[in-house]
Amino acid sequence: MSIPTTMPAVVYKGKGELEVEDIPVPSVGPGEVLVEVSHCGVCGSDLHMILDGWGRKGSVEGHEWSGVVVAVGGGVTTWSVGDHIVGGPTPRCGECEPCRKGHPSLCSQRGTPGMGDSDQGAYARYMKTPENGILRIPDGLSLREAALAEPLAVALHGITKSGIEPGERALVLGAGPIGALTIAALRALGVDDIKVSEPGSLRQDLARRLGATVVVAPDDLEVSGPYDPAGIVSDAVDVALECSGHGDAMEAGLAQLKRLGRLVLVGAGMAAPRFNPNRILLNELSITGAFCYDANGFERSLSLLASGKLPLRELIEPTDVPLTGTLDAMHALASGKLAAKVLIAPGASS
């Protein structure tokens, strides 16, 4: 196929500002492949980078992508033109202590997300990627559906960190895209007692369709008295998975736990929570973060997506968004006017 020299891309200009510009198509070097992007999901971190102004001017975001290989660099033998792939985890050093212990997302050579230079992302028609940073899409799974691989891997890592087992009760705080995938994945993994706390009516309805057994607004969660830190609410859970990134939701999650309960922080945000250390001590509660993925997270994610156990049509907004609609889609997602995963399709017409 003929590859153009320039391509449209969504370029970050400043807080709340995006422009679609023609930029050069990346040239591939040894060990790299060029991908024509099919779909790229809008992540909560993209909202922070663009709407909240965390981003770097001139950058092109987007990391939840699927696409087709259109060119390969020297020495590439694993991939061929026409292969259907998804972006995988960033290759890590493999030598530091976290890598050796099976935690590549915590690689000692990894920087802080959002700081420093980064490669061009997938809000563009084409992108290049290392040959060891992609995975093949299983037969029977469409490019559109496969774009869920990265956020589902995030949801699965949160579930892994929680240690939840069938028969235990879960609370998911926030039913945005990651929360929704967490609900669906919990059900697919055999956890069928799932409570959800979510303020938005659209996302409440989605949580019910995904199999949540109880759905409440955050203000309806029971709160034990401040002078009884050992007190346990009547509707307590074994595990709370906080997927919104809001500090008050993190605090609420801790308050909903049974003794020996586990709170997993999956969502990222800047509003810091205030935890009562006496509640943690007296009830032997555990709090942990969940950053990125299990070591085999993408393989598990793709396998689950291809298994037929997930309601994929419920998890993706029905209409693809062209590059020119990216900013409007982000505002709609941030305001709760959209409930499921929003997919940007660089090849879609405006």
PDB file of all heavy atoms in Angstrom, residues 35 39 63-69 79 83-89 129-130 133-138 141-150 298-299 301-302 305:
ATOM      1  N   VAL A  35       2.101   1.505  12.126  1.00  0.00           N
ATOM      2  CA  VAL A  35       0.736   1.021  12.296  1.00  0.00           C
ATOM      3  C   VAL A  35      -0.244   2.068  11.783  1.00  0.00           C
ATOM      4  O   VAL A  35      -0.098   3.258  12.078  1.00  0.00           O
ATOM      5  CB  VAL A  35       0.435   0.731  13.789  1.00  0.00           C
ATOM      6  CG1 VAL A  35      -0.991   0.238  13.971  1.00  0.00           C
ATOM      7  CG2 VAL A  35       1.440  -0.262  14.343  1.00  0.00           C
ATOM      8  N   HIS A  39      -8.634   2.212  15.920  1.00  0.00           N
ATOM      9  CA  HIS A  39      -9.407   2.844  16.987  1.00  0.00           C
ATOM     10  C   HIS A  39      -8.503   3.151  18.165  1.00  0.00           C
ATOM     11  O   HIS A  39      -7.537   2.418  18.424  1.00  0.00           O
ATOM     12  CB  HIS A  39     -10.546   1.923  17.463  1.00  0.00           C
ATOM     13  CG  HIS A  39     -11.628   1.724  16.464  1.00  0.00           C
ATOM     14  ND1 HIS A  39     -11.540   0.797  15.452  1.00  0.00           N
ATOM     15  CD2 HIS A  39     -12.834   2.347  16.321  1.00  0.00           C
ATOM     16  CE1 HIS A  39     -12.640   0.838  14.723  1.00  0.00           C
ATOM     17  NE2 HIS A  39     -13.434   1.777  15.225  1.00  0.00           N
ATOM     18  N   HIS A  63      -3.336   6.062  23.997  1.00  0.00           N
ATOM     19  CA  HIS A  63      -2.561   4.842  24.233  1.00  0.00           C
ATOM     20  C   HIS A  63      -3.418   3.576  24.292  1.00  0.00           C
ATOM     21  O   HIS A  63      -2.892   2.494  24.510  1.00  0.00           O
ATOM     22  CB  HIS A  63      -1.762   4.977  25.543  1.00  0.00           C
ATOM     23  CG  HIS A  63      -2.618   5.256  26.738  1.00  0.00           C
ATOM     24  ND1 HIS A  63      -2.937   6.541  27.125  1.00  0.00           N
ATOM     25  CD2 HIS A  63      -3.225   4.439  27.613  1.00  0.00           C
ATOM     26  CE1 HIS A  63      -3.700   6.491  28.203  1.00  0.00           C
ATOM     27  NE2 HIS A  63      -3.897   5.230  28.517  1.00  0.00           N
ATOM     28  N   GLU A  64      -4.729   3.697  24.078  1.00  0.00           N
ATOM     29  CA  GLU A  64      -5.605   2.516  24.109  1.00  0.00           C
ATOM     30  C   GLU A  64      -5.982   2.164  22.670  1.00  0.00           C
ATOM     31  O   GLU A  64      -7.096   2.393  22.239  1.00  0.00           O
ATOM     32  CB  GLU A  64      -6.870   2.807  24.913  1.00  0.00           C
ATOM     33  CG  GLU A  64      -6.641   3.229  26.349  1.00  0.00           C
ATOM     34  CD  GLU A  64      -7.955   3.536  27.070  1.00  0.00           C
ATOM     35  OE1 GLU A  64      -9.030   3.485  26.417  1.00  0.00           O
ATOM     36  OE2 GLU A  64      -7.914   3.833  28.268  1.00  0.00           O
ATOM     37  N   TRP A  65      -5.069   1.572  21.918  1.00  0.00           N
ATOM     38  CA  TRP A  65      -5.290   1.525  20.482  1.00  0.00           C
ATOM     39  C   TRP A  65      -5.209   0.130  19.884  1.00  0.00           C
ATOM     40  O   TRP A  65      -4.585  -0.773  20.427  1.00  0.00           O
ATOM     41  CB  TRP A  65      -4.295   2.440  19.777  1.00  0.00           C
ATOM     42  CG  TRP A  65      -2.851   2.135  19.997  1.00  0.00           C
ATOM     43  CD1 TRP A  65      -2.041   2.664  20.977  1.00  0.00           C
ATOM     44  CD2 TRP A  65      -2.031   1.232  19.250  1.00  0.00           C
ATOM     45  NE1 TRP A  65      -0.775   2.151  20.866  1.00  0.00           N
ATOM     46  CE2 TRP A  65      -0.730   1.275  19.809  1.00  0.00           C
ATOM     47  CE3 TRP A  65      -2.256   0.424  18.143  1.00  0.00           C
ATOM     48  CZ2 TRP A  65       0.321   0.514  19.320  1.00  0.00           C
ATOM     49  CZ3 TRP A  65      -1.213  -0.346  17.644  1.00  0.00           C
ATOM     50  CH2 TRP A  65       0.057  -0.288  18.229  1.00  0.00           C
ATOM     51  N   SER A  66      -5.847   0.033  18.725  1.00  0.00           N
ATOM     52  CA  SER A  66      -5.723  -1.140  17.862  1.00  0.00           C
ATOM     53  C   SER A  66      -5.406  -0.648  16.457  1.00  0.00           C
ATOM     54  O   SER A  66      -5.684   0.510  16.113  1.00  0.00           O
ATOM     55  CB  SER A  66      -7.026  -1.941  17.848  1.00  0.00           C
ATOM     56  OG  SER A  66      -8.085  -1.160  17.301  1.00  0.00           O
ATOM     57  N   GLY A  67      -4.826  -1.516  15.629  1.00  0.00           N
ATOM     58  CA  GLY A  67      -4.505  -1.085  14.279  1.00  0.00           C
ATOM     59  C   GLY A  67      -3.953  -2.205  13.427  1.00  0.00           C
ATOM     60  O   GLY A  67      -3.946  -3.383  13.823  1.00  0.00           O
ATOM     61  N   VAL A  68      -3.466  -1.823  12.268  1.00  0.00           N
ATOM     62  CA  VAL A  68      -2.967  -2.768  11.274  1.00  0.00           C
ATOM     63  C   VAL A  68      -1.535  -2.387  10.910  1.00  0.00           C
ATOM     64  O   VAL A  68      -1.246  -1.209  10.646  1.00  0.00           O
ATOM     65  CB  VAL A  68      -3.852  -2.761  10.014  1.00  0.00           C
ATOM     66  CG1 VAL A  68      -3.325  -3.755   8.975  1.00  0.00           C
ATOM     67  CG2 VAL A  68      -5.302  -3.087  10.362  1.00  0.00           C
ATOM     68  N   VAL A  69      -0.643  -3.353  10.883  1.00  0.00           N
ATOM     69  CA  VAL A  69       0.746  -3.110  10.486  1.00  0.00           C
ATOM     70  C   VAL A  69       0.779  -2.752   8.992  1.00  0.00           C
ATOM     71  O   VAL A  69       0.236  -3.483   8.159  1.00  0.00           O
ATOM     72  CB  VAL A  69       1.624  -4.344  10.756  1.00  0.00           C
ATOM     73  CG1 VAL A  69       3.041  -4.118  10.228  1.00  0.00           C
ATOM     74  CG2 VAL A  69       1.664  -4.659  12.252  1.00  0.00           C
ATOM     75  N   TRP A  79       6.486  -9.658  12.772  1.00  0.00           N
ATOM     76  CA  TRP A  79       5.303  -8.988  12.247  1.00  0.00           C
ATOM     77  C   TRP A  79       5.402  -8.787  10.749  1.00  0.00           C
ATOM     78  O   TRP A  79       6.501  -8.605  10.199  1.00  0.00           O
ATOM     79  CB  TRP A  79       5.103  -7.630  12.939  1.00  0.00           C
ATOM     80  CG  TRP A  79       5.043  -7.766  14.428  1.00  0.00           C
ATOM     81  CD1 TRP A  79       6.019  -7.448  15.326  1.00  0.00           C
ATOM     82  CD2 TRP A  79       3.962  -8.305  15.190  1.00  0.00           C
ATOM     83  NE1 TRP A  79       5.625  -7.746  16.599  1.00  0.00           N
ATOM     84  CE2 TRP A  79       4.359  -8.277  16.554  1.00  0.00           C
ATOM     85  CE3 TRP A  79       2.705  -8.805  14.864  1.00  0.00           C
ATOM     86  CZ2 TRP A  79       3.540  -8.726  17.566  1.00  0.00           C
ATOM     87  CZ3 TRP A  79       1.879  -9.255  15.882  1.00  0.00           C
ATOM     88  CH2 TRP A  79       2.295  -9.207  17.215  1.00  0.00           C
ATOM     89  N   ASP A  83      -0.945  -7.477   9.560  1.00  0.00           N
ATOM     90  CA  ASP A  83      -1.247  -8.050  10.872  1.00  0.00           C
ATOM     91  C   ASP A  83      -2.118  -7.097  11.683  1.00  0.00           C
ATOM     92  O   ASP A  83      -1.884  -5.888  11.715  1.00  0.00           O
ATOM     93  CB  ASP A  83       0.040  -8.322  11.652  1.00  0.00           C
ATOM     94  CG  ASP A  83       0.796  -9.534  11.143  1.00  0.00           C
ATOM     95  OD1 ASP A  83       0.193 -10.352  10.422  1.00  0.00           O
ATOM     96  OD2 ASP A  83       1.992  -9.665  11.471  1.00  0.00           O
ATOM     97  N   HIS A  84      -3.108  -7.657  12.383  1.00  0.00           N
ATOM     98  CA  HIS A  84      -3.980  -6.893  13.266  1.00  0.00           C
ATOM     99  C   HIS A  84      -3.409  -6.963  14.681  1.00  0.00           C
ATOM    100  O   HIS A  84      -3.213  -8.060  15.223  1.00  0.00           O
ATOM    101  CB  HIS A  84      -5.399  -7.453  13.239  1.00  0.00           C
ATOM    102  CG  HIS A  84      -6.134  -7.152  11.974  1.00  0.00           C
ATOM    103  ND1 HIS A  84      -7.519  -7.130  11.897  1.00  0.00           N
ATOM    104  CD2 HIS A  84      -5.693  -6.826  10.737  1.00  0.00           C
ATOM    105  CE1 HIS A  84      -7.891  -6.820  10.662  1.00  0.00           C
ATOM    106  NE2 HIS A  84      -6.793  -6.644   9.937  1.00  0.00           N
ATOM    107  N   ILE A  85      -3.177  -5.805  15.277  1.00  0.00           N
ATOM    108  CA  ILE A  85      -2.459  -5.759  16.551  1.00  0.00           C
ATOM    109  C   ILE A  85      -3.089  -4.747  17.494  1.00  0.00           C
ATOM    110  O   ILE A  85      -3.903  -3.908  17.093  1.00  0.00           O
ATOM    111  CB  ILE A  85      -0.976  -5.384  16.348  1.00  0.00           C
ATOM    112  CG1 ILE A  85      -0.873  -4.010  15.679  1.00  0.00           C
ATOM    113  CG2 ILE A  85      -0.256  -6.453  15.528  1.00  0.00           C
ATOM    114  CD1 ILE A  85       0.517  -3.430  15.667  1.00  0.00           C
ATOM    115  N   VAL A  86      -2.678  -4.828  18.757  1.00  0.00           N
ATOM    116  CA  VAL A  86      -2.984  -3.791  19.752  1.00  0.00           C
ATOM    117  C   VAL A  86      -1.677  -3.327  20.376  1.00  0.00           C
ATOM    118  O   VAL A  86      -0.688  -4.072  20.412  1.00  0.00           O
ATOM    119  CB  VAL A  86      -3.930  -4.287  20.865  1.00  0.00           C
ATOM    120  CG1 VAL A  86      -5.289  -4.653  20.298  1.00  0.00           C
ATOM    121  CG2 VAL A  86      -3.312  -5.454  21.632  1.00  0.00           C
ATOM    122  N   GLY A  87      -1.687  -2.096  20.852  1.00  0.00           N
ATOM    123  CA  GLY A  87      -0.548  -1.611  21.614  1.00  0.00           C
ATOM    124  C   GLY A  87      -0.490  -2.306  22.952  1.00  0.00           C
ATOM    125  O   GLY A  87      -1.502  -2.442  23.643  1.00  0.00           O
ATOM    126  N   GLY A  88       0.690  -2.773  23.335  1.00  0.00           N
ATOM    127  CA  GLY A  88       0.877  -3.466  24.595  1.00  0.00           C
ATOM    128  C   GLY A  88       1.620  -2.610  25.603  1.00  0.00           C
ATOM    129  O   GLY A  88       1.777  -1.393  25.419  1.00  0.00           O
ATOM    130  N   PRO A  89       2.095  -3.218  26.673  1.00  0.00           N
ATOM    131  CA  PRO A  89       2.839  -2.457  27.679  1.00  0.00           C
ATOM    132  C   PRO A  89       4.166  -1.966  27.134  1.00  0.00           C
ATOM    133  O   PRO A  89       4.766  -2.602  26.259  1.00  0.00           O
ATOM    134  CB  PRO A  89       3.040  -3.473  28.809  1.00  0.00           C
ATOM    135  CG  PRO A  89       2.940  -4.801  28.152  1.00  0.00           C
ATOM    136  CD  PRO A  89       1.967  -4.641  27.028  1.00  0.00           C
ATOM    137  N   THR A 129       5.860   1.965  16.560  1.00  0.00           N
ATOM    138  CA  THR A 129       5.958   1.312  17.858  1.00  0.00           C
ATOM    139  C   THR A 129       7.057   0.265  17.811  1.00  0.00           C
ATOM    140  O   THR A 129       7.333  -0.297  16.736  1.00  0.00           O
ATOM    141  CB  THR A 129       4.615   0.653  18.238  1.00  0.00           C
ATOM    142  OG1 THR A 129       4.716   0.018  19.514  1.00  0.00           O
ATOM    143  CG2 THR A 129       4.195  -0.380  17.210  1.00  0.00           C
ATOM    144  N   PRO A 130       7.725  -0.011  18.929  1.00  0.00           N
ATOM    145  CA  PRO A 130       8.702  -1.101  18.942  1.00  0.00           C
ATOM    146  C   PRO A 130       8.023  -2.439  18.632  1.00  0.00           C
ATOM    147  O   PRO A 130       6.865  -2.665  19.024  1.00  0.00           O
ATOM    148  CB  PRO A 130       9.255  -1.082  20.367  1.00  0.00           C
ATOM    149  CG  PRO A 130       8.887   0.245  20.924  1.00  0.00           C
ATOM    150  CD  PRO A 130       7.641   0.661  20.229  1.00  0.00           C
ATOM    151  N   GLY A 133       6.465  -4.164  21.548  1.00  0.00           N
ATOM    152  CA  GLY A 133       5.470  -3.425  22.326  1.00  0.00           C
ATOM    153  C   GLY A 133       4.059  -3.608  21.812  1.00  0.00           C
ATOM    154  O   GLY A 133       3.179  -2.796  22.119  1.00  0.00           O
ATOM    155  N   ILE A 134       3.829  -4.674  21.035  1.00  0.00           N
ATOM    156  CA  ILE A 134       2.508  -4.920  20.455  1.00  0.00           C
ATOM    157  C   ILE A 134       2.141  -6.388  20.608  1.00  0.00           C
ATOM    158  O   ILE A 134       3.007  -7.240  20.828  1.00  0.00           O
ATOM    159  CB  ILE A 134       2.455  -4.516  18.965  1.00  0.00           C
ATOM    160  CG1 ILE A 134       3.600  -5.154  18.176  1.00  0.00           C
ATOM    161  CG2 ILE A 134       2.507  -2.997  18.827  1.00  0.00           C
ATOM    162  CD1 ILE A 134       3.631  -4.798  16.709  1.00  0.00           C
ATOM    163  N   LEU A 135       0.836  -6.665  20.500  1.00  0.00           N
ATOM    164  CA  LEU A 135       0.339  -8.038  20.603  1.00  0.00           C
ATOM    165  C   LEU A 135      -0.645  -8.297  19.467  1.00  0.00           C
ATOM    166  O   LEU A 135      -1.352  -7.387  19.014  1.00  0.00           O
ATOM    167  CB  LEU A 135      -0.363  -8.278  21.944  1.00  0.00           C
ATOM    168  CG  LEU A 135       0.510  -8.224  23.195  1.00  0.00           C
ATOM    169  CD1 LEU A 135       0.501  -6.816  23.784  1.00  0.00           C
ATOM    170  CD2 LEU A 135       0.022  -9.227  24.237  1.00  0.00           C
ATOM    171  N   ARG A 136      -0.710  -9.557  19.056  1.00  0.00           N
ATOM    172  CA  ARG A 136      -1.606  -9.954  17.975  1.00  0.00           C
ATOM    173  C   ARG A 136      -3.037 -10.080  18.495  1.00  0.00           C
ATOM    174  O   ARG A 136      -3.279 -10.586  19.594  1.00  0.00           O
ATOM    175  CB  ARG A 136      -1.152 -11.291  17.388  1.00  0.00           C
ATOM    176  CG  ARG A 136      -1.760 -11.627  16.033  1.00  0.00           C
ATOM    177  CD  ARG A 136      -1.175 -12.933  15.507  1.00  0.00           C
ATOM    178  NE  ARG A 136       0.286 -12.932  15.474  1.00  0.00           N
ATOM    179  CZ  ARG A 136       1.009 -12.414  14.489  1.00  0.00           C
ATOM    180  NH1 ARG A 136       0.399 -11.830  13.456  1.00  0.00           N
ATOM    181  NH2 ARG A 136       2.337 -12.449  14.541  1.00  0.00           N
ATOM    182  N   ILE A 137      -3.989  -9.626  17.698  1.00  0.00           N
ATOM    183  CA  ILE A 137      -5.403  -9.735  18.057  1.00  0.00           C
ATOM    184  C   ILE A 137      -5.891 -11.150  17.759  1.00  0.00           C
ATOM    185  O   ILE A 137      -5.663 -11.664  16.658  1.00  0.00           O
ATOM    186  CB  ILE A 137      -6.237  -8.696  17.280  1.00  0.00           C
ATOM    187  CG1 ILE A 137      -5.808  -7.276  17.672  1.00  0.00           C
ATOM    188  CG2 ILE A 137      -7.727  -8.896  17.539  1.00  0.00           C
ATOM    189  CD1 ILE A 137      -6.494  -6.189  16.862  1.00  0.00           C
ATOM    190  N   PRO A 138      -6.551 -11.797  18.706  1.00  0.00           N
ATOM    191  CA  PRO A 138      -7.034 -13.162  18.462  1.00  0.00           C
ATOM    192  C   PRO A 138      -8.064 -13.204  17.333  1.00  0.00           C
ATOM    193  O   PRO A 138      -8.779 -12.228  17.077  1.00  0.00           O
ATOM    194  CB  PRO A 138      -7.685 -13.552  19.797  1.00  0.00           C
ATOM    195  CG  PRO A 138      -7.137 -12.612  20.807  1.00  0.00           C
ATOM    196  CD  PRO A 138      -6.845 -11.344  20.076  1.00  0.00           C
ATOM    197  N   LEU A 141     -11.941 -11.535  17.033  1.00  0.00           N
ATOM    198  CA  LEU A 141     -12.072 -10.278  17.761  1.00  0.00           C
ATOM    199  C   LEU A 141     -11.801  -9.133  16.798  1.00  0.00           C
ATOM    200  O   LEU A 141     -10.763  -9.106  16.136  1.00  0.00           O
ATOM    201  CB  LEU A 141     -11.091 -10.234  18.925  1.00  0.00           C
ATOM    202  CG  LEU A 141     -11.219  -9.070  19.916  1.00  0.00           C
ATOM    203  CD1 LEU A 141     -12.544  -9.143  20.664  1.00  0.00           C
ATOM    204  CD2 LEU A 141     -10.055  -9.078  20.906  1.00  0.00           C
ATOM    205  N   SER A 142     -12.734  -8.197  16.696  1.00  0.00           N
ATOM    206  CA  SER A 142     -12.591  -7.102  15.740  1.00  0.00           C
ATOM    207  C   SER A 142     -11.581  -6.076  16.241  1.00  0.00           C
ATOM    208  O   SER A 142     -11.281  -5.990  17.439  1.00  0.00           O
ATOM    209  CB  SER A 142     -13.943  -6.423  15.508  1.00  0.00           C
ATOM    210  OG  SER A 142     -14.329  -5.678  16.659  1.00  0.00           O
ATOM    211  N   LEU A 143     -11.077  -5.281  15.322  1.00  0.00           N
ATOM    212  CA  LEU A 143     -10.188  -4.180  15.689  1.00  0.00           C
ATOM    213  C   LEU A 143     -10.876  -3.244  16.664  1.00  0.00           C
ATOM    214  O   LEU A 143     -10.248  -2.733  17.608  1.00  0.00           O
ATOM    215  CB  LEU A 143      -9.755  -3.423  14.440  1.00  0.00           C
ATOM    216  CG  LEU A 143      -8.684  -4.095  13.578  1.00  0.00           C
ATOM    217  CD1 LEU A 143      -8.682  -3.499  12.176  1.00  0.00           C
ATOM    218  CD2 LEU A 143      -7.306  -3.946  14.220  1.00  0.00           C
ATOM    219  N   ARG A 144     -12.144  -2.992  16.439  1.00  0.00           N
ATOM    220  CA  ARG A 144     -12.899  -2.068  17.306  1.00  0.00           C
ATOM    221  C   ARG A 144     -12.966  -2.612  18.732  1.00  0.00           C
ATOM    222  O   ARG A 144     -12.710  -1.903  19.702  1.00  0.00           O
ATOM    223  CB  ARG A 144     -14.288  -1.851  16.724  1.00  0.00           C
ATOM    224  CG  ARG A 144     -15.104  -0.774  17.405  1.00  0.00           C
ATOM    225  CD  ARG A 144     -16.387  -0.490  16.624  1.00  0.00           C
ATOM    226  NE  ARG A 144     -17.019   0.718  17.105  1.00  0.00           N
ATOM    227  CZ  ARG A 144     -17.928   0.744  18.091  1.00  0.00           C
ATOM    228  NH1 ARG A 144     -18.301  -0.382  18.659  1.00  0.00           N
ATOM    229  NH2 ARG A 144     -18.438   1.891  18.488  1.00  0.00           N
ATOM    230  N   GLU A 145     -13.317  -3.871  18.862  1.00  0.00           N
ATOM    231  CA  GLU A 145     -13.420  -4.477  20.191  1.00  0.00           C
ATOM    232  C   GLU A 145     -12.053  -4.598  20.851  1.00  0.00           C
ATOM    233  O   GLU A 145     -11.923  -4.434  22.074  1.00  0.00           O
ATOM    234  CB  GLU A 145     -14.070  -5.853  20.066  1.00  0.00           C
ATOM    235  CG  GLU A 145     -15.514  -5.810  19.606  1.00  0.00           C
ATOM    236  CD  GLU A 145     -16.018  -7.162  19.134  1.00  0.00           C
ATOM    237  OE1 GLU A 145     -15.189  -8.023  18.761  1.00  0.00           O
ATOM    238  OE2 GLU A 145     -17.249  -7.359  19.110  1.00  0.00           O
ATOM    239  N   ALA A 146     -11.033  -4.868  20.052  1.00  0.00           N
ATOM    240  CA  ALA A 146      -9.689  -5.063  20.603  1.00  0.00           C
ATOM    241  C   ALA A 146      -9.124  -3.792  21.213  1.00  0.00           C
ATOM    242  O   ALA A 146      -8.185  -3.861  22.022  1.00  0.00           O
ATOM    243  CB  ALA A 146      -8.755  -5.586  19.513  1.00  0.00           C
ATOM    244  N   ALA A 147      -9.679  -2.626  20.866  1.00  0.00           N
ATOM    245  CA  ALA A 147      -9.215  -1.380  21.468  1.00  0.00           C
ATOM    246  C   ALA A 147      -9.489  -1.331  22.972  1.00  0.00           C
ATOM    247  O   ALA A 147      -8.965  -0.460  23.668  1.00  0.00           O
ATOM    248  CB  ALA A 147      -9.860  -0.184  20.769  1.00  0.00           C
ATOM    249  N   LEU A 148     -10.295  -2.261  23.471  1.00  0.00           N
ATOM    250  CA  LEU A 148     -10.538  -2.348  24.916  1.00  0.00           C
ATOM    251  C   LEU A 148      -9.421  -3.086  25.653  1.00  0.00           C
ATOM    252  O   LEU A 148      -9.451  -3.171  26.889  1.00  0.00           O
ATOM    253  CB  LEU A 148     -11.861  -3.081  25.190  1.00  0.00           C
ATOM    254  CG  LEU A 148     -13.157  -2.365  24.835  1.00  0.00           C
ATOM    255  CD1 LEU A 148     -14.357  -3.260  25.127  1.00  0.00           C
ATOM    256  CD2 LEU A 148     -13.284  -1.061  25.616  1.00  0.00           C
ATOM    257  N   ALA A 149      -8.441  -3.607  24.937  1.00  0.00           N
ATOM    258  CA  ALA A 149      -7.435  -4.453  25.582  1.00  0.00           C
ATOM    259  C   ALA A 149      -6.680  -3.722  26.691  1.00  0.00           C
ATOM    260  O   ALA A 149      -6.475  -4.272  27.781  1.00  0.00           O
ATOM    261  CB  ALA A 149      -6.452  -4.987  24.536  1.00  0.00           C
ATOM    262  N   GLU A 150      -6.236  -2.493  26.426  1.00  0.00           N
ATOM    263  CA  GLU A 150      -5.460  -1.778  27.445  1.00  0.00           C
ATOM    264  C   GLU A 150      -6.296  -1.424  28.677  1.00  0.00           C
ATOM    265  O   GLU A 150      -5.883  -1.739  29.810  1.00  0.00           O
ATOM    266  CB  GLU A 150      -4.825  -0.521  26.829  1.00  0.00           C
ATOM    267  CG  GLU A 150      -3.728   0.095  27.686  1.00  0.00           C
ATOM    268  CD  GLU A 150      -4.216   1.026  28.792  1.00  0.00           C
ATOM    269  OE1 GLU A 150      -5.408   1.409  28.744  1.00  0.00           O
ATOM    270  OE2 GLU A 150      -3.431   1.353  29.688  1.00  0.00           O
ATOM    271  N   PHE A 298      -2.019  -8.095  29.311  1.00  0.00           N
ATOM    272  CA  PHE A 298      -2.594  -7.942  27.975  1.00  0.00           C
ATOM    273  C   PHE A 298      -3.024  -9.284  27.394  1.00  0.00           C
ATOM    274  O   PHE A 298      -4.033  -9.372  26.700  1.00  0.00           O
ATOM    275  CB  PHE A 298      -1.606  -7.236  27.054  1.00  0.00           C
ATOM    276  CG  PHE A 298      -1.690  -5.740  27.122  1.00  0.00           C
ATOM    277  CD1 PHE A 298      -1.084  -5.048  28.154  1.00  0.00           C
ATOM    278  CD2 PHE A 298      -2.394  -5.027  26.169  1.00  0.00           C
ATOM    279  CE1 PHE A 298      -1.164  -3.677  28.230  1.00  0.00           C
ATOM    280  CE2 PHE A 298      -2.482  -3.652  26.233  1.00  0.00           C
ATOM    281  CZ  PHE A 298      -1.866  -2.959  27.274  1.00  0.00           C
ATOM    282  N   GLU A 299      -2.248 -10.315  27.647  1.00  0.00           N
ATOM    283  CA  GLU A 299      -2.640 -11.643  27.171  1.00  0.00           C
ATOM    284  C   GLU A 299      -3.968 -12.062  27.809  1.00  0.00           C
ATOM    285  O   GLU A 299      -4.863 -12.578  27.115  1.00  0.00           O
ATOM    286  CB  GLU A 299      -1.547 -12.663  27.498  1.00  0.00           C
ATOM    287  CG  GLU A 299      -0.269 -12.486  26.680  1.00  0.00           C
ATOM    288  CD  GLU A 299       0.700 -11.457  27.263  1.00  0.00           C
ATOM    289  OE1 GLU A 299       0.340 -10.799  28.261  1.00  0.00           O
ATOM    290  OE2 GLU A 299       1.804 -11.298  26.716  1.00  0.00           O
ATOM    291  N   SER A 301      -6.218 -10.042  29.023  1.00  0.00           N
ATOM    292  CA  SER A 301      -7.244  -9.139  28.535  1.00  0.00           C
ATOM    293  C   SER A 301      -7.756  -9.570  27.160  1.00  0.00           C
ATOM    294  O   SER A 301      -8.967  -9.668  26.924  1.00  0.00           O
ATOM    295  CB  SER A 301      -6.695  -7.709  28.474  1.00  0.00           C
ATOM    296  OG  SER A 301      -7.634  -6.822  27.919  1.00  0.00           O
ATOM    297  N   LEU A 302      -6.841  -9.829  26.238  1.00  0.00           N
ATOM    298  CA  LEU A 302      -7.247 -10.242  24.892  1.00  0.00           C
ATOM    299  C   LEU A 302      -7.997 -11.571  24.924  1.00  0.00           C
ATOM    300  O   LEU A 302      -8.971 -11.765  24.190  1.00  0.00           O
ATOM    301  CB  LEU A 302      -6.025 -10.335  23.991  1.00  0.00           C
ATOM    302  CG  LEU A 302      -5.420  -8.992  23.562  1.00  0.00           C
ATOM    303  CD1 LEU A 302      -4.030  -9.199  22.959  1.00  0.00           C
ATOM    304  CD2 LEU A 302      -6.332  -8.274  22.581  1.00  0.00           C
ATOM    305  N   LEU A 305     -11.476 -10.805  26.189  1.00  0.00           N
ATOM    306  CA  LEU A 305     -12.260 -10.111  25.163  1.00  0.00           C
ATOM    307  C   LEU A 305     -12.740 -11.075  24.088  1.00  0.00           C
ATOM    308  O   LEU A 305     -13.844 -10.922  23.547  1.00  0.00           O
ATOM    309  CB  LEU A 305     -11.417  -9.011  24.523  1.00  0.00           C
ATOM    310  CG  LEU A 305     -11.156  -7.765  25.365  1.00  0.00           C
ATOM    311  CD1 LEU A 305     -10.106  -6.884  24.705  1.00  0.00           C
ATOM    312  CD2 LEU A 305     -12.448  -6.969  25.588  1.00  0.00           C
TER     313      LEU A 305
END
